[in-house]
Amino acid sequence: MLRADHIGSLLRPKQLREAFRAHSEKKLDDAELRSAQDAAIRYVIRLQEDCGLQVVTDGEFRRISYWEKFVRLTAGLEVRNAVFKFHDQEGHESDFTAPYVRSKVSRSAPITVDEFRFVKQHSGRMGKITMPAPSTMHFYRFTDWGERSAYRDAAAFFADLGKVYQAEIAELGAAGCRYVQLDEVAVAILCDPAARDKVKAAGEDPDRLVDLYIDAINEAVKNRPKGMAVGVHVCRGNYKGMYLSEGGYDSVAEKFFGRTKVDHFLLEFDTPRAGGFAPLRFVPKDKGVVLGLVSSKTPQLEKMDDLRRRADEAAKYVDGSRLAISPQCGFASTMGGNPVTEADERAKLKLCVDAAQAIWS
């Protein structure tokens, strides 16, 4: 675990957004889109290196959203409307789409291997690959997540889905990847009392879902190559500065931190709606925590003294040797991105590096 990390997605440059739009309108072919992606990724790799980061991603620049490419390249999945809505502090809401299980799932093609190989080719620093957690393919439509003719229950679905992850992770390992991150949103939503009530009203048990999603993660990563670190980013939703849920980790901490078989957790702590650090007492002593103290949702730059103070508070529950710092989420989980500029993004990434050096030097 590196002391300064980031979650993966970065703001798409204007030229890249325009290339995606032109491709969707059949004005650019596949090769021309890929050329635009390549140029943008080379640029954003330099941006990360200039900020002093020792871990780099391709910014998720080959994806429309953080989960879109996974769904596109996994046979048996399609996209429908979700049952939740994004919202902000002013009460504005936004619908979104989500994966739906149409038929038996299988890995129809490598999903992220090309992303890693390109990063490896253009940077000597550690390349990280992000993937949506298995729950992404179930929770957003938990009342109607798939065709029952395909799977009798969610456990059977996750057994097959786990094979998709296992094959992808094995090929990533063979290509030299040593760091994979799964983006877990459902468990964070299930920390929110309002969301839990909605789940119960629909006839589902939120605690059963947490157990189901922990088991799904463990199945996905169980055969990962030796020497590959796996982190789980627990996210409350990230869309144009809006979010899906609020509430601390208290209701899920003991089982989620204790039972999830990964190396570290990347956790959101950027606002009071994320709760306090006390749930970190349940993190096993062989696992690390990346503190998401820097907001990717707003342009305001955090103060170093505040970051140091909060890291010290977290160290009351997790030994400082197992702590790191990052933004709470990516800067562009979807094509549109958050309401910040590239200058804001650069400043916040550099702040994470500087804070890590100042706090844990």
Side-chain angles (χ1 to χ4, degrees):
M1 186 179 71
L2 299 169
R3 290 292 201 173
D5 205 337
H6 71 98
I7 303 306
S9 67
L10 296 166
L11 295 172
R12 274 75 161 179
K14 180 181 178 182
Q15 298 92 325
L16 180 59
R17 298 196 307 272
E18 291 175 346
F20 267 101
R21 185 179 303 111
H23 182 261
S24 70
E25 296 171 352
K26 310 299 184 186
K27 297 176 182 177
L28 279 187
D29 62 25
D30 291 350
E32 290 170 319
L33 174 61
R34 190 160 196 90
S35 178
Q37 292 169 338
D38 290 351
I41 293 167
R42 287 192 293 269
Y43 174 80
V44 86
I45 286 173
R46 296 287 90 78
L47 184 154
Q48 293 167 79
E49 292 177 343
D50 290 347
C51 291
L53 288 160
Q54 298 303 308
V55 57
V56 300
T57 73
D58 72 347
E60 299 182 358
F61 282 5
R62 301 198 194 279
R63 316 177 191 183
I64 294 172
S65 73
Y66 78 100
W67 55 258
E68 176 271 335
K69 192 178 176 207
F70 192 101
V71 172
R72 172 165 38 99
L73 296 177
T74 300
L77 296 176
E78 64 181 35
V79 178
R80 298 191 181 183
N81 289 329
V83 298
F84 292 94
K85 293 179 185 288
F86 279 99
H87 52 275
D88 62 18
Q89 292 176 319
E90 283 72 47
H92 303 123
E93 292 188 336
S94 176
D95 295 320
F96 67 104
T97 56
Y100 179 80
V101 183
R102 182 187 68 254
S103 59
K104 294 285 188 182
V105 296
S106 62
R107 182 173 177 261
S108 59
I111 302 166
T112 61
V113 178
D114 63 325
E115 298 175 354
F116 174 75
R117 286 179 174 151
F118 192 86
V119 169
K120 183 181 179 183
Q121 180 183 355
H122 291 89
S123 179
R125 304 191 185 180
M126 179 179 288
K128 174 165 74 170
I129 285 297
T130 65
M131 287 188 275
S135 64
T136 308
M137 318 306 158
H138 178 271
F139 181 67
Y140 294 140
R141 291 183 51 88
F142 71 94
T143 54
D144 180 24
W145 54 269
E147 298 293 336
R148 294 304 186 266
S149 59
Y151 291 101
R152 66 184 183 277
D153 56 30
F157 162 61
F158 282 127
D160 275 0
L161 186 64
K163 296 173 185 174
V164 175
Y165 284 91
Q166 291 166 26
E168 184 71 16
I169 289 171
E171 191 167 339
L172 283 168
C177 181
R178 294 294 174 264
Y179 186 5
V180 168
Q181 172 189 299
L182 300 181
D183 292 313
E184 174 58 70
V185 180
V187 169
I189 295 176
L190 290 168
C191 295
D192 186 332
R196 291 174 69 88
D197 287 344
K198 182 172 184 175
V199 168
K200 290 176 184 177
E204 183 57 89
D205 178 358
D207 293 318
R208 188 194 78 86
L209 289 179
V210 172
D211 286 328
L212 181 70
Y213 299 151
I214 292 171
D215 290 342
I217 290 173
N218 292 343
E219 183 69 16
V221 306
K222 71 177 182 181
N223 295 322
R224 67 184 182 271
K226 186 176 181 180
M228 176 185 283
V230 175
V232 172
H233 169 229
V234 185
C235 173
R236 290 174 176 79
N238 185 48
Y239 177 68
K240 296 183 178 181
M242 292 188 278
Y243 53 91
L244 285 167
S245 66
E246 54 189 284
Y249 300 103
D250 305 76
S251 63
V252 303
E254 187 168 9
K255 67 167 63 175
F256 186 73
F257 297 147
R259 287 215 303 114
T260 307
K261 297 176 182 177
V262 297
D263 300 286
H264 60 271
F265 301 96
L266 302 101
L267 304 175
E268 298 192 343
F269 285 111
D270 59 319
T271 68
R273 70 171 175 271
F277 296 117
L280 298 183
R281 69 189 185 277
F282 294 113
V283 176
K285 297 188 183 303
D286 63 345
K287 291 180 171 60
V289 174
V290 181
L291 301 169
L293 300 176
V294 174
S295 176
S296 68
K297 294 180 183 291
T298 64
Q300 288 76 27
L301 194 63
E302 289 76 5
K303 296 178 180 178
M304 183 70 75
D305 287 346
D306 290 339
L307 298 178
R308 189 193 304 272
R309 174 181 54 79
R310 300 204 68 204
D312 288 345
E313 292 173 4
K316 297 174 183 177
Y317 304 99
V318 174
D319 187 88
S321 64
R322 296 188 284 125
L323 292 176
I325 188 171
S326 75
Q328 103 291 347
C329 197
F331 288 87
S333 298
T334 64
M335 185 66 64
N338 287 347
V340 296
T341 66
E342 183 186 299
D344 298 328
E345 174 183 77
R346 188 183 291 265
K348 292 198 173 223
L349 292 175
K350 188 175 187 305
L351 177 60
C352 290
V353 174
D354 293 343
Q357 293 173 342
I359 297 167
W360 298 298
S361 60

